[in-house]
Amino acid sequence: MPVVFLSSWAASSPMWEYQMLPLSERGLRCIAYDRRGHGRSDDPGRGYDFDTLADDLAELLTQLDLRGVTLVGHSMGCAEIARYLSRHGTSRIARAVLIGTTTPFLLQTPDNPAGVPKHLFEANTAILLADRQRYFASGMIKFFGLGRSWPAPENVSPEVMQWALRLTDECSPKAILACRRAIDETDFRSDLRAFTIPTLILHGDNDQSTPLQRCGRRTAQAIPHSQLNVYEGAAHGLFLTHKERVNDDLLAFIQG
């Protein structure tokens, strides 16, 4: 039973280490890949729109001839799943899991008043351009919901945070910037109608990157019969801070 993992923005396939190992030991075929410009993949300098990224996923599934697939995405990876389903359908896909999703639409527009004003996205991009390394280092605090002190060691250690930070250094700066703009400005509301398969949504109620009310709940409302599991106190990086619970939820959903 194949499970394909789609990574966060500015991250790559190693981020799924703490899911892939325990799930593979339970008999699942776990596959993760690096999107273009991320990790070990080439940086072609183009194609960082969601149509192209979804087509890249389709090519992977075709090349490996995968069927009955469970797609598992985190953050940006959830948006890629949405666009893949709307462009390529569900013939190869059995179910989907969205963790800390960026859908349905982040940008504030007249018909999306709950979104973020564009000038705030532009200010965020300016900070990224000015000092990319500091941007990600400071962002790790929000990513893990650490506040002023570390949580219990069993949740996330300083070493794990440094490891996650190193993954961002492996990404192309051009890809990071282009993907950030695509995430902020792409409307996935119509794509969510393509979720005609069982869908599980995992979201922390302390997620400052993609707030629960703006993203997780609205996505769940837009996908009929989807299941939303809210993680109390969890931030955006719940696949690491709450990895045991995430793994239990994944296994129960995939084998259920």
Side-chain angles (χ1 to χ4, degrees):
M1 187 180 297
V3 183
V4 175
F5 292 86
L6 290 86
S7 302
S8 315
W9 169 65
S12 50
S13 55
M15 66 168 275
W16 294 110
E17 173 183 342
Y18 294 98
Q19 281 69 51
M20 294 181 70
L21 182 59
L23 292 184
S24 65
E25 289 179 342
R26 300 298 295 269
L28 300 177
R29 181 185 179 188
C30 295
I31 301 161
Y33 71 102
D34 298 339
R35 73 173 59 84
R36 58 177 63 204
H38 291 62
R40 296 164 295 177
S41 289
D42 291 340
D43 177 17
R46 56 184 173 78
Y48 300 113
D49 60 281
F50 278 96
D51 284 356
T52 304
L53 295 173
D55 293 348
D56 287 346
L57 172 59
E59 183 175 351
L60 170 74
L61 299 181
T62 300
Q63 286 287 333
L64 297 179
D65 194 22
L66 299 177
R67 300 183 183 278
V69 175
T70 298
L71 294 176
V72 179
H74 177 260
S75 194
M76 178 183 179
C78 302
E80 287 171 293
I81 292 173
R83 185 54 53 89
Y84 169 85
L85 293 176
S86 68
R87 285 176 67 81
H88 297 279
T90 60
S91 62
R92 292 182 179 272
I93 311 303
R95 61 191 67 80
V97 182
L98 310 179
I99 304 174
T101 184
T102 59
T103 54
F105 189 22
L106 294 180
L107 182 65
Q108 185 182 79
T109 61
D111 69 341
N112 189 45
V116 178
K118 188 171 184 178
H119 71 88
L120 295 181
F121 283 142
E122 291 172 344
N124 186 63
T125 299
I127 297 170
L128 173 61
L129 285 169
D131 191 336
R132 180 170 59 88
Q133 290 74 20
R134 185 175 184 180
Y135 176 93
F136 283 110
S138 60
M140 286 293 162
I141 303 298
K142 180 171 69 173
F143 187 83
F144 290 118
L146 302 179
R148 295 184 178 180
S149 61
W150 290 98
E154 62 267 21
N155 288 341
V156 60
S157 66
E159 291 79 12
V160 166
M161 190 169 94
Q162 290 300 317
W163 167 70
L165 186 60
R166 286 195 299 272
L167 294 182
T168 68
D169 287 334
E170 298 174 359
C171 296
S172 154
K174 182 176 180 63
I176 286 174
L177 181 60
C179 288
R180 182 69 261 171
R181 287 172 172 158
I183 296 166
D184 295 343
E185 299 178 5
T186 305
D187 185 351
F188 296 97
R189 289 176 292 184
S190 63
D191 298 276
L192 296 184
R193 292 196 291 268
F195 282 82
T196 58
I197 52 175
T199 303
L200 173 66
I201 301 166
L202 308 179
H203 216 106
D205 65 4
N206 188 36
D207 191 328
Q208 300 175 55
S209 301
T210 59
L212 173 63
Q213 298 302 327
R214 180 181 297 139
C215 296
R217 289 202 188 279
R218 290 181 66 200
T219 297
Q221 291 166 0
I223 300 176
H225 311 299
S226 60
Q227 176 184 337
L228 172 63
N229 291 2
V230 176
Y231 284 41
E232 299 78 6
H236 200 50
L238 69 167
F239 64 96
L240 289 173
T241 59
H242 295 67
K243 56 183 179 292
E244 291 84 6
R245 181 176 171 186
V246 167
N247 294 345
D248 288 344
D249 282 348
L250 289 176
L251 191 63
F253 180 65
I254 293 169
Q255 296 185 337

